[in-house]
Amino acid sequence: RRDEEKKKSRKMERPMHEALKKIMSGNGVLGAMCVDADGLCLASEGDVSGIAGGFVGGLSAAVQQLRDSADDAATLCIECDSCEYLLQQSNGLCVLIKRRAK
C-alpha cells in the first residue's frame, strides 16, 4: 500500500516538476519554486530555497488582498540589484520565479 501511495504521489508531482523545468529554460531564469496555500514547498529547481516556502506563501496571500476582483491574477515583482523575483498565485498554488535583473 505504501508503494502505491509513493507511485501515485510521483505521478501527481511529475507535471509540476516538468512545468518548473520549462520555466527554468527561460532566458535569465535562476530558480523556480511551487508552494501550496499553506506555504509548503512542493517543488523547486535552481537557485531558490524550499525553506522560504512559508514566507513565499505569506507574501502571495497578502498580494491576493490587493486584487480588484477574484478573477484578477495578481503578480508581485521584487527587484534587487542582481536579480528579481516574480510571484503569482493560481488555483491554490503559488509560483515564484527568480531571474537575473534586467
Side-chain angles (χ1 to χ4, degrees), residues 23-32 46-48 77-86 97-102:
I23 290 169
M24 290 296 297
S25 69
N27 191 23
V29 175
L30 302 171
D47 185 21
V48 291
C77 179
I78 301 171
E79 296 180 353
C80 302
D81 289 339
S82 62
C83 64
E84 61 185 18
Y85 296 88
L86 301 172
I97 299 172
K98 179 181 179 181
R99 64 183 184 189
R100 279 191 272 291
K102 292 182 178 178

Side-chain angles (χ1 to χ4, degrees), residues 2-33:
R2 195 168 209 187
D3 288 339
E4 265 182 52
E5 290 175 5
K6 284 183 181 180
K7 286 180 185 178
K8 185 177 179 181
S9 176
R10 278 190 233 122
K11 187 176 181 179
M12 290 171 43
E13 291 173 3
R14 187 173 297 130
M16 189 177 347
H17 285 284
E18 288 173 2
L20 288 181
K21 287 181 192 279
K22 185 175 180 178
I23 290 169
M24 290 296 297
S25 69
N27 191 23
V29 175
L30 302 171
M33 175 191 304

Side-chain angles (χ1 to χ4, degrees), residues 53-80:
F55 178 72
V56 168
L59 276 176
S60 177
V63 168
Q64 298 312 306
Q65 301 301 314
L66 300 174
R67 299 180 304 169
D68 289 332
S69 76
D71 295 333
D72 288 343
T75 301
L76 174 66
C77 179
I78 301 171
E79 296 180 353
C80 302

